Amino acid sequence: TVAIRTLTMAMQEALEYESAVFSERVTSSQSANLVALRLNSSRAKKLSSTSPAYNVTDLAVIGSGVMGREIAFEALCADAINSVVLVDIKEEFLEKAGAEIGKLMAARVRSGKYTVSEGESKLRKLKTSVSYDAIINCQAIVEAVPEVEAIKFSTYAQIDAVMATRVVATPYFIYSNTSALNLEHLAAHVANPANFCGMHFFNPVSQMGAVEIPAIDSTNAETISTAIAIVNALGKLP
């Protein structure tokens, strides 16, 4: 508005008008809030705990519903993630999820974010499976199954059972996308509660920028740092 109004003014008059408006607005509460938002957003991206993040290059997502498939899509878009494993109980669920992920990628290509070949390359990072065995090489698992405790408990048991068969017992982290259930209660059903916390995305994931990372007393520093690093890699704000 200021720029448009100054188009019809003499130079000196325009400069004085612009200066007056700027002086008023730069001291407003709106200006202070915008500056704080910018600074806090920058700080959030750099948050770290006393432990460095674990290097996650292979990510699993359990549950291919609306939330799970969009989380998987954002992981596919992340340069730091080499592969994404999407697990569900039925092939038909995974086929639908794959089609929706393809639509999301096509939209990114149309927007100019990626070329056609770049989009195809990112989609090739996706593997779908009805078997938990497919997650064995993943360093982090995002659980996005329905908000039913029994389903979540079963999910954690299957994750831990597969990971217990690895030849080399490297760390792995489980992050729950729950928005309603008690994380302390959920943590009691994972093999290593220290490597468990929340990673709550907002719907639709592909359009929402923020991700909550709620921790519990048992969560260790590396788990939190790793969660922050994953969220940053996905282009979201932790």
Side-chain angles (χ1 to χ4, degrees):
T1 303
V2 173
I4 292 174
R5 291 191 64 178
T6 57
L7 289 175
T8 59
M9 296 179 182
M11 176 60 76
Q12 188 59 38
E13 181 186 6
L15 292 174
E16 291 175 358
Y17 173 72
E18 183 182 72
S19 179
V21 172
F22 178 79
S23 297
E24 177 184 349
R25 294 185 180 175
V26 78
T27 57
S28 67
S29 60
Q30 292 92 334
S31 174
N33 289 338
L34 287 170
V35 170
L37 179 62
R38 172 63 178 174
L39 293 176
N40 288 334
S41 295
S42 296
R43 293 189 187 106
K45 292 178 181 179
K46 299 173 184 177
L47 283 177
S48 62
S49 61
T50 55
S51 175
Y54 192 80
N55 185 31
V56 173
T57 56
D58 304 280
L59 181 74
V61 180
I62 313 297
S64 65
V66 175
M67 294 298 288
R69 69 191 182 219
E70 291 221 357
I71 294 169
F73 167 70
E74 293 292 4
L76 291 173
C77 294
D79 292 337
I81 304 297
N82 295 333
S83 69
V84 180
V85 179
L86 183 60
V87 176
D88 213 322
I89 58 174
K90 292 184 179 181
E91 288 287 0
E92 61 190 84
F93 295 165
L94 293 168
E95 290 173 5
K96 180 179 179 181
E100 293 299 323
I101 288 172
K103 291 178 183 178
L104 290 169
M105 189 63 74
R108 291 276 170 96
V109 171
R110 285 196 302 273
S111 72
K113 175 76 172 179
Y114 306 123
T115 65
V116 172
S117 62
E118 287 172 338
E120 291 173 346
S121 176
K122 291 181 181 298
L123 288 175
R124 283 195 292 271
K125 296 195 292 184
L126 178 65
K127 177 180 180 180
T128 61
S129 179
V130 294
S131 171
Y132 280 75
D133 290 342
I135 73 170
I136 194 165
N137 293 319
C138 294
Q139 300 94 13
I141 303 98
V142 178
E143 169 267 297
V145 302
E147 295 281 69
V148 178
E149 285 190 343
I151 297 176
K152 292 187 183 292
F153 296 161
S154 174
T155 297
Y156 302 150
Q158 292 180 80
I159 292 171
D160 288 328
V162 168
M163 293 310 201
T165 67
R166 293 171 303 158
V167 176
V168 180
T170 54
Y172 65 95
F173 305 87
I174 301 176
Y175 299 106
S176 177
N177 186 54
T178 186
S179 60
L181 300 180
N182 186 306
L183 287 170
E184 295 278 3
H185 193 189
L186 297 182
H189 292 263
V190 301
N192 186 2
N195 287 14
F196 174 86
C197 74
M199 187 180 284
H200 178 219
F201 292 80
F202 294 90
N203 189 25
V205 177
S206 56
Q207 298 178 40
M208 302 296 281
V211 179
E212 293 179 324
I213 305 176
I216 52 181
D217 289 343
S218 61
T219 305
N220 66 24
E222 184 180 37
T223 301
I224 298 171
S225 294
T226 302
I228 291 170
I230 291 171
V231 171
N232 279 330
L234 269 57
K236 305 297 183 181
L237 179 66

